[in-house]
Structures are given as structure tokens and as C-alpha cells.
Amino acid sequence: MKSEWGALILAAGKGTRMKSATAKVMQPILCEPMLFYPLRTLSECEGVSIGVVVGYGKQEVSDYLTKEWPQVAIIEQKEQKGTGDAVKAGFHFWKDYKYMLVLPGDVPLITSESIKQLMRIHLLSDSSLSFISFKVADPAGYGRVIRSDCGIRIVEEKDATEDQLAINEVNSGIYAFSTAALERYINELRCKNVQGEYYLTDLVELFQQYKERVEVLSMDGEDEFLGVNDPLQLAYATNLLRDLLVKRWMEKGVKCADPETVRIGPRVDFEGEAYLAPYVQIFGETSVGDRCSIGSFSILKDSKLESGVSVHPHVVIESSVVRQNAIVGPFAYLRDETEIGPKSFAGKFVEIKHSKIGSGSKVPHLSYIGDATIGEDTNIGAGTITCNYDGKRKHPTKIGNRCFIGSDTMLVAPVELDDDATTGAGSVITQNVPMGALALARARQRNILGWKKRRENINNNDNGGRS
């Protein structure tokens, strides 16, 4: 017995108008590939299995799908001969379903509500083919929906007459098929058109010739069905999505001082009230806790902020966790699974990489902490560096609780400092420091008396005694 619904996303085209070596569906929108958006929409439609047809840039697209959407079937279209050929290439995928959706890969604003409505109409009307149309102020670039006493046709723009070009009802490229009918007629498509391609749109007329029912779902809101084909449309779609996402979170209590400058990605989650200053960007799988504050020009990606965190301006946080009531920045960089503990502080011009900073500890300024574990209530003086790389491998540094690391200390890993250890400013620490000890590792100071006067005499002699 066949399963109910499958869905095919057509993502094989090069997108020549994008003028990019990157496949069109991999162009970024709010730090996600364009392909992410129809994938997410279909994943919100319960019980729909998804396949993606790849072609141009297939390795990049396939790698993305394998990593981020392993449940999705990957189907190769060996030659890009049009949308009809792309659907034929997916036959071994969709033959196992009773009904199939077809979507372009370049419709990032399409919603699951519209897809579900198309599915309902298709079933209620007992149609063999259903598709979404919509009206636009400027129909340039779209296939026109031609209605007449003889039925309904879709004419692609390059094949349209002057009268047909004036029609403003256009095809969304989003279809629902009964696969039994599709299997009967898909091979009757011919490439008798300007582009020399197999048009999926030709099935609308072909189905009617064979007395199959075709249903059109006319919908409002042209932006939802926007197809992205060039950099201008890419920027327009990005701004539309940004507005939608920022508005959604502001309605739930997030405060934005200047909403038009804020960027929030589609996988970001806010757990309560938060304050975002102008020009904040939050992307990837990031979670922001209740009562957090994020300063201007800060960028967060794939990170977690627990409640009460304060992020000052010009901070970058990537793949890291900041615990309750911690403070970060300004001008700090946290990366590679760093964890900042509760009530800790990573301050001005500090970079912390793959390290754990314990509760109440401070790295206030001008330091690099890499591959390190720092205990609780420890203070790291200005200019401290963990020398974690020997040219071949990275090595760990461990600093205990209640330690005091003097300014400009170099910690040459691997090295461990036990609880309550102290280092003198300017020390180069190459050996472990016991509990409660003071470590000094610098040359003894020498004061050379009269050095300046002697230096002046030498300079005078070099100039022939002339002052």
C-alpha cells in the first residue's frame, strides 16, 4: 500500500541571473541557505516525506543535506533539461506515494499554512493536479495563468504573446499531484518551446486533454510566493524575512531599540524578555535567555545565553555557552565550545577559545585563553596568554579556584596551576604551580645608574662633538 504524501523540491538549477559560482539554492538568507526555508516549511507539514533534486553544485547541496537534513532523499538530475525532466528524475522517489507536492527551491517565504491548504484542496476536489496561482503588480519573470473556455494553461514568459504578457495572474511553481496520473502522463512531455526544455507546466494542459481534473488555488499575498533569481531579489527576500522574524519576537516581548537594523535567524529562540540594541545579529541555533541584554554590533551564532546575561557592544560569540548573569565584552570573541560560568566576566579585547571559565572568575582585558579550564573566583590579569600551540599540537592549561594570574603572564601549555596559586606579573610559567604558591619566572631586575647621561655622551661623540 502506498504512503500518502511525498514532496519534491527542485534544486538542480544553476541560477545564471544570480551571477555566482555557488548554486542558487545555497545562497544565504539570514545565515541559512535558501534551500533551508522550503525544507523547513515541508517539515512542518506532518507526514510528508521529502526529496530534493540536485544538479548544478550537487556536491555542495548534497553535503548540506547529508549534514543538516539526513532524513531527506537526494535525487540527481544529470542534465538540467527543465522542471518536467527534474520530476521525471525523481520517479523512483515519488512512485511510492499516493500524492506528491512539487516546490521550487527558491521560494524562501512560502508557509506551511499555504502548503496544507493546497493539500486539502487537492484531496477535497479529487483533483489529479492542483497548483497555486497568485496575482502580482509586475508579472515579469513568471509563467502566466491563461484561463479560457477551453480550460486553464500556464504559458512561460519566453513563450508568451504580447496579450498574454499583460496577464497578472501567475504560477507559483507549487503543485500537488496524484502520482497515478503523473506516472501515466509525465513521459508525454515534449520540449517544444523557446528554451528547449521539458516544462512541468505543460502537464496542466495535458492532464485536461485526458479529462483529468485540474484545480487552481488562487491565493493573496505575492511576497509569500516570491521566487529569488538574482541578487536584488535575494536582498528583498532577506529583508522580508528579517521583518517577519523580528516582528514575531517583538510580539512575544523581545525589545528592539531599532528593529530595522536587527537580524534574527529562523532557528533562533528567545526564552523570555530580552533587549537588543541597534545592529545586533543573531543566527544559527542560538538560544537567548530571559532578561538578557545584547549590545550594538554584537554577533551571536549557534550559541546559548542563559538568563540575565549582559553582552556589551562589539562582541562575537560562536558555538559557545554563557551562563547566568555573566558579562561579556565589549570587543570580546568567544568561540569553539567556550563556556563562561555564572557571574563570570570576559571583558575588553579578550579572545577565549575552547575553554571553560568557572563561576565568578574574571578575564577582564587584553588576554587570549585557549584550550584552558579555569576554576571559580579566579582573576586573570591583563595581557595573559595561554601558549597552547607548539607548532604541531594544541595543549591544555588548567587553572584552579581562587587563583591570581599577574598581568602579562605567559602560561606555556601543558601546565597546571593548583587552587590559590599566584603568578607574578610578566612571568613565563612552564612548570606546574602547587596549591597556594607564588610562581615567579622572569630575569632579576638591574638598575644601571647614570645610563641616560652616558648614552647622551656617546651620541655627542658620534656627531663629532657637535650639539
Side-chain angles (χ1 to χ4, degrees):
M1 183 177 178
K2 288 189 175 183
S3 301
E4 285 288 298
W5 283 95
L8 207 58
I9 297 177
L10 307 186
K14 180 178 181 180
T16 53
R17 283 180 282 170
M18 198 61 74
K19 295 180 172 61
S20 174
T22 300
K24 181 170 72 168
V25 296
M26 295 302 292
Q27 298 292 331
I29 297 178
L30 298 176
C31 230
E32 304 287 349
M34 194 189 313
L35 181 58
F36 165 86
Y37 295 92
L39 282 166
R40 182 187 61 171
T41 292
L42 288 172
S43 69
E44 293 170 355
C45 300
E46 187 177 352
V48 176
S49 300
I50 307 170
V52 176
V53 179
V54 302
Y56 181 81
K58 66 178 181 180
Q59 193 61 54
E60 181 184 14
V61 180
S62 297
D63 288 348
Y64 167 71
L65 292 170
T66 300
K67 180 182 177 182
E68 302 294 339
W69 300 85
Q71 73 277 25
V72 169
I74 300 172
I75 300 141
E76 183 181 357
Q77 184 186 16
K78 296 185 182 299
E79 296 181 65
Q80 281 70 71
K81 295 181 179 179
T83 52
D85 183 67
V87 171
K88 278 199 281 187
F91 170 72
H92 290 290
F93 169 78
W94 54 258
K95 68 180 178 63
D96 294 327
Y97 300 97
K98 190 173 181 180
Y99 309 105
M100 186 185 65
L101 297 161
V102 176
L103 280 76
D106 61 358
V107 285
L109 289 120
I110 187 67
T111 65
S112 58
E113 289 76 15
S114 293
I115 298 299
K116 291 173 184 176
Q117 189 174 348
L118 176 64
M119 294 166 70
R120 286 194 297 270
I121 290 295
H122 186 74
L123 296 177
L124 289 171
S125 64
D126 195 25
S127 174
S128 294
L129 190 168
S130 306
F131 69 94
I132 296 175
S133 75
F134 61 103
K135 291 186 177 181
V136 291
D138 180 8
Y142 290 101
R144 308 308 200 269
V145 176
I146 312 297
R147 296 175 181 267
S148 70
D149 294 339
C150 299
I152 298 168
R153 289 189 298 143
I154 300 173
V155 177
E156 297 296 345
E157 184 169 71
K158 291 184 178 181
D159 302 298
T161 66
E162 287 296 323
D163 289 342
Q164 291 170 341
L165 288 173
I167 294 171
N168 70 344
E169 184 181 7
V170 297
N171 174 34
S172 67
I174 300 170
Y175 307 87
F177 287 96
S178 296
T179 55
L182 182 62
E183 185 174 352
R184 282 195 297 271
Y185 306 121
I186 187 72
N187 290 318
E188 294 196 27
L189 287 176
R190 299 293 180 263
C191 49
K192 296 177 181 178
N193 50 65
V194 172
Q195 304 242 81
E197 295 181 347
Y198 295 94
Y199 289 164
L200 191 63
T201 51
D202 288 347
L203 287 177
V204 172
E205 191 171 3
L206 190 63
F207 271 40
Q208 291 170 99
Q209 289 175 5
Y210 286 101
K211 309 302 180 186
E212 299 284 354
R213 184 176 179 82
V214 172
E215 193 72 25
V216 185
L217 174 59
S218 296
M219 301 192 74
D220 297 323
E222 63 181 271
D223 283 341
E224 181 182 350
F225 307 103
L226 173 72
V228 176
N229 295 296
D230 59 41
L232 292 173
Q233 291 175 337
L234 184 68
Y236 182 68
T238 299
N239 284 332
L240 289 174
L241 278 164
R242 176 189 61 79
D243 290 346
L244 288 169
L245 289 165
V246 170
K247 180 182 178 183
R248 177 194 302 170
W249 287 115
M250 290 183 72
E251 288 173 345
K252 294 183 178 181
V254 173
K255 311 299 187 295
C256 295
D258 186 2
E260 291 185 359
T261 65
V262 170
R263 300 286 187 272
I264 299 173
R267 292 190 289 149
V268 173
D269 182 58
F270 290 87
E271 297 177 359
E273 182 179 6
Y275 173 79
L276 309 183
Y279 298 100
V280 166
Q281 301 181 60
I282 311 177
F283 298 127
E285 197 166 343
T286 295
S287 172
V288 178
D290 189 33
R291 295 174 290 104
C292 287
S293 174
I294 303 174
S296 292
F297 303 102
S298 291
I299 303 172
L300 282 61
K301 184 176 181 182
D302 295 323
S303 295
K304 179 179 178 63
L305 272 57
E306 292 187 346
S307 62
V309 169
S310 179
V311 176
H312 290 306
H314 299 280
V315 169
V316 177
I317 304 176
E318 297 176 342
S319 304
S320 296
V321 176
V322 183
R323 301 294 181 191
Q324 288 183 341
N325 301 313
I327 300 172
V328 182
F331 297 100
Y333 183 21
L334 313 181
R335 61 187 176 97
D336 297 343
E337 300 178 356
T338 283
E339 180 180 335
I340 305 296
K343 299 181 181 179
S344 293
F345 177 37
K348 298 171 285 295
F349 302 101
V350 166
E351 179 178 355
I352 304 179
K353 170 250 175 188
H354 195 222
S355 297
K356 182 175 181 179
I357 312 299
S359 175
S361 290
K362 300 175 182 178
V363 189
H365 31 229
L366 301 164
S367 295
Y368 170 71
I369 306 297
D371 300 292
T373 302
I374 297 176
E376 298 180 359
D377 300 315
T378 285
N379 187 83
I380 306 296
T384 295
I385 294 175
T386 57
C387 307
N388 56 327
Y389 185 50
D390 65 6
K392 292 183 179 179
R393 292 179 298 166
K394 300 289 180 70
H395 298 281
T397 297
K398 184 177 179 181
I399 302 172
N401 301 321
R402 301 175 301 281
C403 291
F404 184 91
I405 308 302
S407 295
D408 203 29
T409 295
M410 303 291 113
L411 299 161
V412 183
V415 67
E416 294 188 18
L417 284 69
D418 214 335
D419 293 346
D420 300 299
T422 300
T423 67
S427 293
V428 179
I429 305 299
T430 58
Q431 299 178 17
N432 294 346
V433 181
M435 181 183 297
L438 168 64
L440 295 170
R442 60 192 184 213
R444 183 182 297 276
Q445 180 175 324
R446 294 174 58 207
N447 294 331
I448 302 173
L449 300 178
W451 180 86
K452 184 175 182 181
K453 184 65 175 177
R454 287 159 56 188
R455 187 67 181 170
E456 288 174 351
N457 290 337
I458 292 171
N459 289 338
N460 288 338
N461 289 336
D462 288 344
N463 292 329
R466 296 189 298 273
S467 60

